[in-house]
Amino acid sequence: MASSLRTRRDGARLRTVALIGIDGSGKTTQAHLLAEALTAAGHRATYHRNAGGRRWLGRLAQRVGRPDAQRLVGRDGLLAVESALRWLAIALALLSCLATGRTAVMDRWSVCQYASIRAHGGQRWERLARAGYRIFPPPRVTILLTLDPAEAYRRIERRGTDHESMRWLTAADAAYRALPEYASFVVVDGSGPPEEVSRRIRAHLSEWLPDDPSTLAGPSPDGTPRPSGGGRDGPVPAQARP
């Protein structure tokens, strides 16, 4: 009976949750908020940024006089670098959470690479990428943040740290919706203030998060600290991965 109870508790554990979507959809902001909310509710969680290095390559390209990463290393080179770096980031994140027992809140997942490949028109790479990523167990929950590409473009321009074309954002949006995994995604509207989007996400994770948002870490409206909800470590530290 004790073994059975342990099995049931383990089966209900939120080991991994992934947030995916086009650039500008709010993945990073919401992944940080979700890691904090889970920790405040007593489920120790850590944020992991599973980037593919495209932004870094884009900056490098500009430094050497190229307009973007694709012009620097070519389409196939870009997809190869992205696939390898994202694979390594996910592997390190999963190993870290396996060792610490924390929940992994993934900012991007393998399906982001499949969408990137499709948006770049490099479909022949997808089969190879899927073979490499197949080693990873799927997240318990994968949340797709949806946002009109025009609004995503405006957000990216406002933050001013990088640039994406409307053509790319539109292609990436279509690629996510065309993935065979799309039916398994929890689709959440990414428009509106971050706090509202966070409430929408938490509504889909009621098994692990309380309904009352006042249990979230951080000050209450009158400025007094809120209870941590059982999290022993306070606000979760961000662990950005390459």
Side-chain angles (χ1 to χ4, degrees):
M1 181 178 291
S3 176
S4 175
L5 288 173
R6 283 196 300 271
T7 300
R8 277 183 285 178
R9 282 199 297 266
D10 184 67
R13 181 183 168 192
L14 185 65
R15 292 184 179 276
T16 309
V17 56
L19 284 88
I20 63 173
I22 64 174
D23 291 347
S25 61
K27 297 184 298 297
T28 299
T29 297
Q30 294 305 324
H32 276 293
L33 290 174
L34 181 56
E36 292 170 1
L38 286 166
T39 298
H43 309 283
R44 297 188 307 156
T46 306
Y47 164 89
H48 294 272
R49 184 171 183 265
N50 301 317
R54 191 158 58 92
R55 185 181 298 183
W56 176 82
L57 280 173
R59 291 173 181 169
L60 178 62
Q62 292 179 352
R63 288 181 182 178
V64 299
R66 300 294 178 87
D68 54 40
Q70 188 165 327
R71 298 291 181 88
L72 177 67
V73 295
R75 187 197 66 182
D76 289 349
L78 175 60
L79 293 177
V81 170
E82 268 192 349
S83 298
L85 289 180
R86 202 182 310 278
W87 189 98
L88 180 61
I90 292 173
L92 290 174
L94 291 175
L95 286 173
S96 172
C97 286
L98 181 64
T100 62
R102 287 178 172 266
T103 294
V105 179
M106 301 293 201
D107 176 1
R108 303 171 177 84
W109 185 251
S110 59
V111 291
C112 296
Q113 193 57 40
Y114 309 152
S116 177
I117 290 170
R118 292 187 177 208
H120 277 104
Q123 279 79 355
R124 69 185 183 89
W125 279 91
E126 186 175 342
R127 180 178 297 179
L128 182 61
R130 286 182 177 276
Y133 284 101
R134 192 173 294 131
I135 189 175
F136 301 132
R140 187 171 182 87
V141 181
T142 300
I143 297 169
L144 172 63
L145 290 172
T146 60
L147 188 68
D148 183 85
E151 175 58 24
Y153 179 86
R154 286 190 287 268
R155 288 184 180 183
I156 294 168
E157 290 299 300
R158 282 197 300 268
R159 73 191 182 197
T161 58
D162 57 338
H163 174 76
E164 298 291 355
S165 69
M166 271 296 299
R167 180 179 179 182
W168 161 257
L169 292 170
T170 301
D173 180 65
Y176 274 110
R177 298 174 188 275
L179 289 173
E181 295 88 351
Y182 179 77
S184 67
F185 298 156
V186 174
V187 179
V188 173
D189 181 6
S191 63
E195 296 79 9
E196 176 60 31
V197 178
S198 179
R199 283 194 291 271
R200 295 170 193 160
I201 291 172
R202 295 198 308 270
H204 291 283
L205 298 173
S206 58
E207 183 178 350
W208 301 277
L209 290 172
D211 294 331
D212 182 5
S214 67
T215 57
L216 291 174
S220 63
D222 64 2
T224 60
R226 284 179 175 143
S228 64
R232 293 183 297 171
D233 302 327
V236 65
Q239 294 188 1
R241 299 297 184 186

